[in-house]
């Protein structure tokens, strides 16, 4: 078990052929190029975490492909350079975290993941040229945080979601809105959804999660123009708990829509604690008549 903090990217070649090593954590002092020697064999390594490094494509793929029994793989606050593909094909992998910072214009490559036993997946990055995610039938939980450098990568974003379509719990953060012309995949297994982003993306996702039971929402802004849509089937048959964080008074139509169309709702949480006392009081006075007029037997927390 080796933990190196503030290393300066000068690592002995022997480190990469250490057959007894099971856990390796490398935290760089500065985000300089992380070099992997030509000979790599970490045949017993189960946990690998690299933080604050610039990873060269060929070097990165060579490292990953020679960790044959890896179970936990994390790249945190790393950058990738000179890559056509990032290839992660590890049958033993159970947890994968890709937190990548990319310089503008360096996104012209494909992320390839083949991990049939993956249970947890976190991806935090600008959307890149392409994604090929296969054999992720064991996936239970995913955390996706994306933003767009170019609207040309809209199709890539859809491919990313297609790759995780078996997920049961999803936390999704989207920083910008790119109008989508392609349909989202249907996430039949999704029962827990936490959404942080623009209102328009939320509307898209509700129609693609027919079996959703729990919904948590934190909206960056409210357009207020799309809540006359047909009710998604999850609202009619499965959704039992809704939580709205950082409520503002311009979200009243969203609450009204959810109340009117959630047929099996049991618990509604609307958090106004981010407001000052005056605004919180105004929000409660706005919500109470709507909640009282509802005929549903609800547990309501304001």
């Amino acid at each position: 078990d080796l933990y190196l903090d503030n290393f300066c990217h000068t690592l002995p070649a022997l480190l990469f052929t250490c057959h007894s090593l099971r856990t390796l954590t490398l935290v760089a002092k500065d985000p300089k190029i992380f070099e992997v020697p030509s000979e790599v064999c970490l045949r017993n390594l189960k946990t690998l975490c690299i933080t604050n490094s610039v990873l060269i494509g060929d070097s990165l793929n060579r490292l990953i492909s020679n960790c044959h029994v890896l179970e936990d793989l994390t790249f945190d606050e790393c950058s990738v350079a000179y890559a056509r593909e990032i290839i992660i094909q590890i049958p033993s992998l159970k947890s994968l975290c890709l937190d990548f910072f990319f310089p503008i214009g360096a996104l012209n490559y494909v992320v390839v993941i083949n991990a049939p036993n993956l249970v947890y997946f976190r991806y935090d990055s600008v959307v890149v040229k392409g994604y090929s995610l296969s054999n992720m039938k064991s996936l239970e939980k995913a955390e996706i945080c994306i933003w767009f450098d170019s609207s040309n990568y809209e199709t890539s974003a859809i491919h990313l979601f297609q790759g995780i379509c078996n997920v049961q719990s999803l936390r999704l953060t989207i920083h910008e809105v790119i109008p989508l012309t392609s349909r989202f995949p249907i996430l039949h297994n999704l029962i827990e959804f936490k959404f942080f982003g623009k209102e328009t993306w939320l509307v898209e996702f509700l129609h693609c999660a027919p079996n959703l039971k729990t919904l948590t929402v934190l909206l960056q802004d409210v357009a207020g123009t799309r809540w006359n849509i047909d009710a998604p089937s999850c609202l009619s048959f499965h959704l039992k708990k809704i939580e709205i964080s950082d409520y503002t008074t311009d979200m009243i139509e969203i609450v009204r829509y959810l109340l009117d169309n959630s047929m099996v709702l049991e618990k509604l949480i609307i958090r106004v604690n981010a407001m000052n006392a005056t605004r919180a009081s105004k929000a409660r006075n706005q919500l109470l008549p709507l909640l009282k007029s509802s005929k549903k037997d609800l547990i309501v927390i304001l």
Side-chain angles (χ1 to χ4, degrees):
D1 188 339
L2 180 61
Y3 182 102
L4 294 179
D5 193 9
N6 287 335
F7 79 96
C8 297
H9 300 267
T10 303
L11 296 170
L14 282 173
L15 175 64
F16 296 93
T17 57
C18 181
H19 295 166
S20 64
L21 197 60
R22 295 177 180 267
T23 300
L24 177 60
T25 303
L26 302 172
V27 182
K29 182 178 181 180
D30 299 302
K32 298 179 181 177
I33 292 177
F34 177 83
E35 296 183 3
V36 177
S38 57
E39 184 179 354
V40 180
C41 184
L42 295 166
R43 64 188 184 191
N44 288 306
L45 192 69
K46 292 189 175 183
T47 300
L48 174 62
C49 178
I50 298 177
T51 300
N52 195 30
S53 295
V54 178
L55 305 162
I56 304 300
D58 291 343
S59 180
L60 173 60
N61 289 330
R62 183 164 61 252
L63 174 62
I64 294 172
S65 63
N66 285 283
C67 299
H68 302 294
V69 297
L70 206 59
E71 295 181 359
D72 300 292
L73 175 60
T74 298
F75 295 105
D76 191 17
E77 297 182 1
C78 289
S79 178
V80 176
Y82 310 111
R84 293 184 179 180
E85 292 181 319
I86 295 177
I87 303 174
I88 301 171
Q89 298 192 75
I90 308 174
S92 58
L93 199 63
K94 296 179 181 178
S95 175
L96 174 62
C97 300
L98 303 178
D99 182 347
F100 286 153
F101 168 79
F102 294 100
I104 294 174
L107 312 173
N108 190 25
Y109 66 89
V110 177
V111 175
V112 178
I113 300 174
N114 185 343
N117 291 299
L118 196 67
V119 176
Y120 172 74
F121 177 47
R122 179 167 67 88
Y123 184 81
D124 188 340
S125 175
V126 177
V127 174
V128 298
K129 179 181 179 181
Y131 298 92
S132 177
L133 280 62
S134 58
N135 282 334
M136 298 182 79
K137 295 181 179 180
S138 298
L139 191 64
E140 296 179 4
K141 184 175 181 179
E143 298 184 25
I144 307 295
C145 179
I146 57 174
W147 59 98
F148 292 85
D149 180 54
S150 170
S151 60
N152 295 331
Y153 291 158
E154 170 203 318
T155 302
S156 296
I158 296 299
H159 290 163
L160 174 61
F161 293 119
Q162 288 173 343
I164 64 167
C165 64
N166 291 307
V167 72
Q168 299 174 30
S169 175
L170 173 62
R171 177 188 175 101
L172 175 63
T173 303
I174 298 182
H175 291 286
E176 295 103 1
V177 170
I178 299 291
L180 292 178
T181 57
S182 304
R183 290 287 296 173
F184 284 114
I186 304 299
L187 283 71
H188 292 283
N189 296 335
L190 189 66
I191 58 175
E192 181 183 28
F193 182 40
K194 297 181 179 180
F195 178 80
F196 304 87
K198 306 287 187 178
E199 175 189 355
T200 48
W201 281 78
L202 174 61
V203 174
E204 296 281 352
F205 266 88
L206 286 178
H207 278 285
C208 299
N211 299 305
L212 192 66
K213 294 183 178 180
T214 301
L215 173 65
T216 301
V217 176
L218 193 158
L219 297 178
Q220 294 176 346
D221 64 9
V222 179
T225 58
R226 300 191 63 187
W227 290 98
N228 56 352
I229 57 172
D230 295 335
S233 60
C234 63
L235 296 183
S236 300
F237 301 108
H238 298 289
L239 195 62
K240 294 185 177 182
K241 179 183 175 182
I242 297 174
E243 179 173 340
I244 299 175
S245 300
D246 288 356
Y247 176 83
T248 58
T249 53
D250 56 356
M251 296 180 188
I252 186 67
E253 291 305 317
I254 298 174
V255 176
R256 189 189 309 277
Y257 174 86
L258 293 173
L259 275 176
D260 289 345
N261 293 284
S262 299
M263 298 294 102
V264 296
L265 190 63
E266 296 177 357
K267 190 172 185 178
L268 176 63
I269 302 173
I270 302 175
R271 300 197 181 277
V272 297
N273 52 330
M275 300 179 177
N276 59 39
T278 301
R279 290 186 177 181
S281 178
K282 182 179 178 180
R284 291 189 181 95
N285 291 336
Q286 179 196 49
L287 288 165
L288 284 174
L290 179 62
L291 296 170
K292 287 179 179 179
S293 65
S294 174
K295 298 180 180 180
K296 297 180 176 65
D297 186 14
L298 286 174
I299 297 173
V300 178
I301 300 173
L302 290 177

